């Protein structure tokens, strides 16, 4: 098994995740079985208890684990379904070691960061590769070299390269080459310092991925090569791209994949990027544009909704229409006029969320979509709020609410899942992961999915209160997707509306290039028709 280890320096947010994902896609295209592990040096056991403002969206895998959003990028680029063990955190590694200590596995020993924590980290990395029968394991180390909390991980990957042999490990270091304003000169000093820091912990990079606004000049590549002790072919320029999906092409063209397969001395079975390039071409050469509004409460950090944004990119390529996102902060809508806010908007999305802030604004947006005919998609909270809005304004249950926001609501039309009652722990306790949804024949959902059984990912504590289902359906909002036991409402669609559809699950998590989320695609197509004034 071979290992590609990606570290980062200078700043966070340089796109290490996209670099790692792109490499995964490129190595896979060379016929190599590739998997990826993300290391997050924080103390949380998983990302599930973090606010999206902290690290962006919490991504959910099939197995129900709540993980770092980079795993979403890995899944989209590698077209793979990952598991919880593909995300290692400090919390997880320490929890394992402490549990073993209590069990007496280390009886008689002093338990220490080196070797016990580092051994645990190495074991977890190797086990993922073995489980996936991988030729190549990509390991992305979150954070920046020099951070106190990444030290044990850097030491672990250094040891790993000794254990498996340096010829079986490639170290890539991502840095920033800033351009100084007045003179416009590309500056290499931050890269030099960052590589020095990496070498101080015993890791010598084989290649440097230099992010920057513009492509690196040849003279700058040579300078970095000389000062950082890498071959000049190992200095890869990663300028701002038109799309993240262009990054693999940029890396491939500069020979990074060749450098890696040569280092490993594994035969390259030729690359096939035709389909990927076709996908990118359709996305970047649109024949039209459509405006979709995302009404949320984390709109100041776009990473909070990254899987929705990517799903719209996938739809943009599929429909060859640029999807412009119009961000609307839900709370602002409580004071504003929806007619003005949605004046040039062709479709509205209300994504998932937690807590009371912005709820009434989201309900205003849904009411506007229902009454004016603008296509609407709600996911998770956006599904629950569609039910609340409908009960209030179409059924006349004016005090309808979710008991998440008002535990004493006169009509708790969205209520706690029965199995959630009395739960005390907050970590990993929601209804999570992939569950089967049974889609009714003859519905719009059935027409779109083309199947009566679909698997989608979930993350919620509340659900439609079964006591109100008959009344809601009688008024025209049909539940066309239900859980296998028929108890849980999963998809809703309104009769007589072009597209007013919502799902209790999160279709955005399974959207992939060339295989967009069915419900997002439904929204974008309906928005295009709405834009063009087509009948339905
Ligand atoms: N807060 C809601 C629930 O817990 C919705 C969750 C979500 O949107 N992911 O059910």
């Amino acid at each position: 098994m071979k290992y590609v280890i990606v570290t980062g320096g200078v700043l966070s947010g340089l796109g290490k995740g996209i670099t790692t994902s792109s490499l995964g896609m490129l190595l896979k295209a060379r016929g190599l079985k590739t998997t990826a592990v993300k290391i997050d040096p924080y103390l949380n056991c998983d990302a599930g208890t973090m606010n999206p403002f902290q690290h962006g969206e919490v991504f959910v895998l099939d197995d129900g684990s709540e993980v770092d959003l980079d795993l979403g990028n890995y899944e989209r680029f590698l077209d793979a379904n990952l598991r919880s063990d593909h995300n290692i955190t400090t919390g997880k590694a320490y929890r394992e070691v402490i549990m073993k200590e209590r069990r007496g596995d280390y009886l008689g020993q002093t338990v220490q960061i080196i070797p016990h924590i580092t051994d645990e980290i190495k074991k977890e990395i190797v086990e993922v590769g073995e489980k996936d029968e991988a030729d190549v394991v990509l390991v992305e180390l979150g954070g920046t070299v020099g951070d106190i909390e990444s030290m044990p991980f850097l030491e672990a990957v250094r040891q790993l390269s000794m254990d498996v042999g340096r010829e079986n490990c490639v170290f890539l270091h991502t840095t920033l080459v800033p351009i100084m304003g007045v003179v416009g000169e590309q500056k290499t000093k931050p890269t030099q310092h960052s590589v020095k820091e990496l070498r101080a912990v015993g890791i010598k990079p084989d290649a440097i991925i230099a992010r920057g606004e513009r492509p690196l000049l040849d003279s700058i590549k040579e300078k970095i090569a000389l000062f950082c002790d890498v071959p000049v072919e190992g200095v890869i320029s990663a300028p701002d791209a038109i799309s993240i999906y262009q990054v693999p092409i940029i890396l491939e063209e500069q020979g990074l994949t060749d450098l890696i397969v040569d280092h490993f001395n594994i035969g390259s079975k030729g690359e096939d990027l035709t389909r990927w390039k076709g996908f990118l071409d359709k996305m970047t050469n649109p024949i039209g544009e459509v405006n979709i509004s995302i009404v949320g409460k984390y709109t100041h950090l776009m990473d909070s909704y990254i899987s929705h944004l990517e799903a719209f990119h996938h739809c943009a390529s599929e429909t060859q229409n640029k999807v412009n996102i119009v961000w609307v902060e839900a709370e602002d809508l409580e004071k504003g006029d929806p007619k003005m806010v949605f004046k040039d908007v062709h479709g509205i999305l209300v994504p998932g969320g937690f807590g009371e802030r912005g709820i009434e604004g989201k309900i205003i947006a849904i009411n506007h979509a229902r009454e004016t005919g603008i296509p609407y998609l709600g996911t998770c909270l956006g599904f629950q709020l569609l039910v609340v809005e409908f009960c209030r304004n179409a059924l006349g249950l004016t005090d309808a609410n979710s008991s998440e926001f008002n535990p004493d609501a006169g009509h708790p039309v969205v209520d706690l899942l029965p199995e959630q009652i009395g739960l005390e722990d907050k970590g990993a306790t929601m209804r999570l992961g992939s569950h089967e949804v049974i889609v009714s024949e003859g519905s719009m959902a059935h027409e779109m999915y083309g199947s009566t059984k679909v698997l989608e990912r979930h993350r919620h504590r509340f659900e439609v209160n079964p006591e109100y289902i008959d009344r809601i359906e009688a008024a025209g909002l049909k539940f066309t997707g239900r859980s296998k036991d028929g108890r849980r409402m999963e998809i809703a669609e309104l009769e007589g509306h072009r597209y007013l559809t919502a799902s209790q699950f999160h279709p955005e998590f399974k959207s992939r290039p060339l295989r967009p989320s069915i419900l997002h695609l439904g929204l974008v197509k309906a928005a295009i028709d709405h834009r063009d004034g087509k009948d339905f």
Side-chain angles (χ1 to χ4, degrees):
M1 218 150 57
K2 318 283 180 193
Y3 298 86
V4 176
I5 293 158
V6 185
T7 54
V10 186
L11 306 176
S12 61
L14 286 180
K16 249 187 330 215
I18 298 299
T19 304
T20 310
S21 306
S22 300
L23 271 173
M25 177 263 168
L26 292 169
L27 292 167
K28 207 178 151 190
R30 297 287 180 110
L32 297 166
K33 215 156 174 239
T34 308
T35 191
V37 178
K38 171 80 197 283
I39 293 177
D40 283 304
Y42 45 66
L43 272 165
N44 305 56
C45 290
D46 62 40
T49 52
M50 278 189 277
N51 184 315
F53 274 133
Q54 298 273 317
H55 286 273
E57 166 191 279
V58 176
F59 193 76
V60 180
L61 302 176
D62 275 342
D63 67 5
S65 41
E66 300 166 287
V67 294
D68 185 80
L69 61 82
D70 271 323
L71 273 86
N73 288 323
Y74 298 172
E75 285 204 342
R76 291 184 279 267
F77 279 72
L78 279 160
D79 197 11
N81 293 320
L82 304 178
R83 303 174 306 270
S84 81
D85 50 342
H86 290 91
N87 196 182
I88 302 174
T89 70
T90 300
K92 246 189 208 173
Y94 274 72
R95 185 173 60 183
E96 279 302 308
V97 170
I98 291 168
M99 256 163 45
K100 285 182 195 161
E101 187 274 335
R102 291 290 81 187
R103 219 165 45 207
D105 291 10
Y106 309 116
L107 231 42
Q109 296 177 42
T110 308
V111 183
Q112 293 179 297
I113 294 179
I114 305 173
H116 300 98
I117 295 288
T118 45
D119 280 353
E120 178 62 35
I121 296 165
K122 287 191 285 180
K123 181 178 134 281
E124 290 184 12
I125 295 172
V126 173
E127 275 176 3
V128 170
E130 283 170 351
K131 216 165 172 180
D132 292 342
E133 295 173 354
D135 299 315
V136 184
V137 184
L138 290 152
V139 182
E140 178 192 346
L141 188 45
T144 310
V145 170
D147 296 346
I148 290 180
E149 48 184 21
S150 11
M151 293 308 261
F153 294 105
L154 283 166
E155 171 59 14
V157 292
R158 184 200 64 77
Q159 288 177 17
L160 182 70
S161 75
M162 292 299 284
D163 298 349
V164 301
R166 193 57 181 82
E167 66 284 8
N168 294 317
C169 258
V170 164
F171 283 99
L172 302 178
H173 191 55
T174 327
T175 71
L176 175 72
V177 175
I179 296 177
M180 286 312 287
V182 192
V183 270
E185 197 185 343
Q186 297 181 323
K187 297 303 229 178
T188 66
K189 198 64 94 184
T191 299
Q192 294 179 40
H193 278 299
S194 168
V195 170
K196 203 166 138 192
E197 193 101 40
L198 192 61
R199 292 174 71 172
V201 296
I203 296 172
K204 181 179 170 305
D206 298 294
I208 289 168
I209 323 271
R211 287 279 294 116
E213 244 172 83
R214 292 201 287 273
L216 288 186
L217 299 173
D218 285 346
S219 59
I220 298 295
K221 278 193 171 184
E222 281 158 20
K223 190 167 174 188
I224 293 176
L226 178 67
F227 281 88
C228 299
D229 197 22
V230 289
V232 76
E233 315 77 65
V235 183
I236 310 290
S237 172
D240 291 347
I242 39 167
S243 154
I244 55 167
Y245 298 106
Q246 193 197 15
V247 175
I249 317 282
I250 296 175
L251 301 180
E252 177 72 26
E253 280 171 3
Q254 289 179 76
L256 183 60
T257 332
D258 290 331
L259 183 139
I260 294 170
V261 296
D262 287 352
H263 180 103
F264 291 149
N265 201 12
I266 32 184
S268 104
K269 295 173 196 130
E271 100 238 40
D272 181 14
L273 303 181
T274 334
R275 268 164 55 83
W276 192 271
K277 283 183 179 159
F279 161 75
L280 183 64
D281 269 357
K282 277 183 76 186
M283 187 167 71
T284 49
N285 296 297
I287 48 168
E289 294 191 14
V290 64
N291 304 329
I292 303 281
S293 177
I294 299 184
V295 182
K297 75 167 190 182
Y298 313 113
T299 55
H300 296 297
L301 181 70
M302 284 197 316
D303 266 359
S304 305
Y305 298 114
I306 181 169
S307 291
H308 285 289
L309 297 181
E310 294 315 323
F312 285 128
H313 283 140
H314 308 156
C315 295
S317 172
E318 184 71 25
T319 60
Q320 227 180 333
N321 267 270
K322 183 168 179 242
V323 178
N324 299 314
I325 302 294
V326 180
W327 294 101
V328 174
E329 183 63 34
E331 265 182 313
D332 296 346
L333 212 46
E334 290 165 19
K335 293 161 249 144
D337 172 9
K339 273 201 223 62
M340 288 310 293
V341 175
F342 297 120
K343 195 159 65 74
D344 299 315
V345 164
H346 311 118
I348 297 175
L349 169 83
V350 173
F354 296 83
E356 208 188 344
R357 186 171 68 80
I359 293 301
E360 294 304 322
K362 290 176 185 173
I363 291 176
I364 292 171
I366 296 167
N367 178 258
H368 184 72
R370 190 167 63 80
E371 292 192 336
T372 61
I374 297 183
Y376 171 78
L377 172 64
T379 64
C380 208
L381 181 62
F383 165 85
Q384 298 170 356
L385 292 181
L386 168 62
V387 170
V388 172
E389 189 282 327
F390 192 76
C391 288
R392 282 187 193 174
N393 302 318
L395 295 185
L397 308 175
T398 44
D399 55 356
N401 210 337
S402 161
S403 35
E404 179 178 4
F405 313 121
N406 180 5
D408 306 316
H411 291 285
V413 295
V414 173
D415 206 359
L416 202 59
L417 288 158
E419 65 270 30
Q420 290 281 328
I421 298 169
L423 268 188
E424 284 185 6
D425 280 358
K426 288 277 185 252
T429 55
M430 287 188 237
R431 179 172 182 244
L432 289 165
S434 182
H435 293 281
E436 194 170 79
V437 176
I438 309 295
V439 183
S440 356
E441 279 186 54
S443 64
M444 191 179 351
H446 182 248
E447 199 180 305
M448 292 191 293
Y449 274 103
S451 169
T452 51
K453 277 188 191 164
V454 300
L455 284 167
E456 291 279 13
R457 296 181 186 172
H458 297 71
R459 183 172 189 245
H460 64 119
R461 285 188 208 282
F462 293 81
E463 64 171 350
V464 177
N465 185 339
E467 282 175 33
Y468 291 88
I469 292 168
D470 290 347
R471 268 189 276 175
I472 295 170
E473 288 208 309
L477 185 64
K478 303 285 189 204
F479 294 107
T480 55
R482 297 181 183 217
S483 61
K484 220 167 154 187
D485 60 8
R487 206 192 158 276
R488 278 169 191 149
M489 300 305 107
E490 292 275 11
I491 304 176
E493 50 187 83
L494 183 67
E495 284 179 339
H497 191 289
R498 187 194 299 274
Y499 193 85
L500 196 92
T501 303
S503 64
Q504 179 59 76
F505 52 81
H506 292 263
E508 69 275 18
F509 291 143
K510 283 180 74 174
S511 190
R512 304 269 165 93
L514 295 159
R515 223 170 342 106
S517 144
I518 302 284
L519 297 187
H520 288 74
L521 188 60
L523 175 69
V524 171
K525 283 184 172 168
I528 291 170
D529 289 347
H530 180 77
R531 176 197 69 192
D532 298 342
K534 270 211 193 117
D535 289 341
F536 61 93

